[in-house]
Amino acid sequence: MHKSRLFLFGDSFVDWDIPSYHWSDYLKEHYDVNILGERGSDNISIIFQLGKLPEYREGDRIIIYWSDPSRIQKHLMGKMKPKQKSRWWHYSDVIDKSRIETLEKMKVDRSDGWNASGLENELLFIKKLKYILSEYNPIYVTWNNSFYNKTKQFTDLVQVSTLHDESGEGETKGDWHPGEQGCYDIYKILLAKLGNETPLPFKNNLL
């Protein structure tokens, strides 16, 4: 059976390895899912991810999972230590420690700018993207309140139970990415936005 293509852009909410059956895996039962997002991405980098979008084919859809407006582009962090087992990014990974104070200031400046004016040109372009990509009928969602507060006219805030909420021990302790139930809830929300298909049954015990 032919499946329409679905392209996912965003940060770690589209690219995380626990639970083992992610909300994107549920959607693979309905669509040919292509994950083009990358964990740790800021919103400018999410916009640039769209450069990987192939030429439109009938039935193609897009979901963009927007991130925290205070995040900055990774390349500004300079050379980083090789990634070890940890899923998380830490300032300790920055080799040039003299950058850290500046990086922190940049995050504060971006947060202040977004909350004051929405970083107006950035906000306007994010809104305009929905028109530019209109043939894909894009879906905008975010987990972040600050982003949503400036984009609520065209973005949905999706906040569900996290790995920490659902387990809160071992590798899930302090992890605010969606848990098993959270992933299922995101799947149902997004499936409804994509169409009217009946959702699959819930899968659990997948941590």
Side-chain angles (χ1 to χ4, degrees):
M1 177 180 173
H2 171 74
K3 294 180 182 178
S4 295
R5 297 186 300 180
L6 174 63
F7 300 97
L8 307 182
F9 300 94
D11 59 8
S12 55
F13 268 62
V14 304
D15 175 37
W16 204 242
D17 47 3
I18 50 175
S20 59
Y21 203 82
H22 192 252
W23 60 263
S24 58
D25 293 306
Y26 283 105
L27 287 174
K28 288 175 183 176
E29 301 291 334
H30 309 272
Y31 293 89
D32 173 12
V33 174
N34 299 266
I35 300 174
L36 301 178
E38 182 182 352
R39 61 185 65 180
S41 291
D42 62 285
N43 286 330
I44 293 173
S45 296
I46 289 171
I47 291 170
F48 290 162
Q49 290 169 8
L50 290 160
K52 296 178 280 189
L53 185 65
E55 186 174 346
Y56 177 76
R57 289 202 316 227
E58 185 69 30
D60 283 352
R61 298 296 303 274
I62 288 174
I63 295 171
I64 304 181
Y65 228 118
W66 297 101
S67 190
D68 185 338
S70 73
R71 283 187 177 175
I72 57 177
Q73 292 173 279
K74 288 181 181 178
H75 72 87
L76 298 173
M77 299 171 189
K79 193 172 182 180
M80 307 283 283
K81 294 177 183 176
K83 200 68 177 170
Q84 302 298 320
K85 293 181 179 179
S86 173
R87 296 181 175 89
W88 303 97
W89 177 86
H90 300 279
Y91 276 124
S92 60
D93 298 327
V94 176
I95 290 177
D96 180 2
K97 296 296 189 285
S98 67
R99 287 177 178 259
I100 294 175
E101 185 176 352
T102 300
L103 294 171
E104 286 285 9
K105 175 99 172 34
M106 291 171 69
K107 285 176 62 70
V108 171
D109 288 345
R110 276 198 56 82
S111 182
D112 289 348
W114 180 266
N115 291 329
S117 64
L119 296 174
E120 187 174 7
N121 286 339
E122 185 174 327
L123 177 58
L124 289 172
F125 185 74
I126 287 169
K127 183 177 182 179
K128 178 69 75 174
L129 265 178
K130 265 204 163 178
Y131 171 75
I132 296 170
L133 299 170
S134 58
E135 61 187 347
Y136 294 89
N137 193 11
I139 294 167
Y140 277 16
V141 289
T142 186
W143 52 267
N144 183 266
N145 285 302
S146 293
F147 185 87
Y148 176 70
N149 287 339
K150 292 292 183 179
T151 64
K152 60 180 67 176
Q153 292 181 328
F154 53 89
T155 303
D156 290 295
L157 179 66
V158 178
Q159 293 181 326
V160 296
S161 58
T162 68
L163 288 159
H164 181 81
D165 294 334
E166 295 180 23
S167 176
E169 56 186 28
E171 64 181 352
T172 68
K173 187 174 182 179
D175 192 328
W176 46 265
H177 293 90
E180 290 178 351
Q181 183 63 52
C183 278
Y184 186 66
D185 291 340
I186 290 173
Y187 155 67
K188 288 191 297 180
I189 290 167
L190 294 176
L191 188 67
K193 291 182 177 300
L194 287 162
N196 296 307
E197 295 188 65
T198 303
L200 299 168
F202 174 58
K203 300 178 185 288
N204 59 358
N205 299 318
L206 298 169
L207 293 178

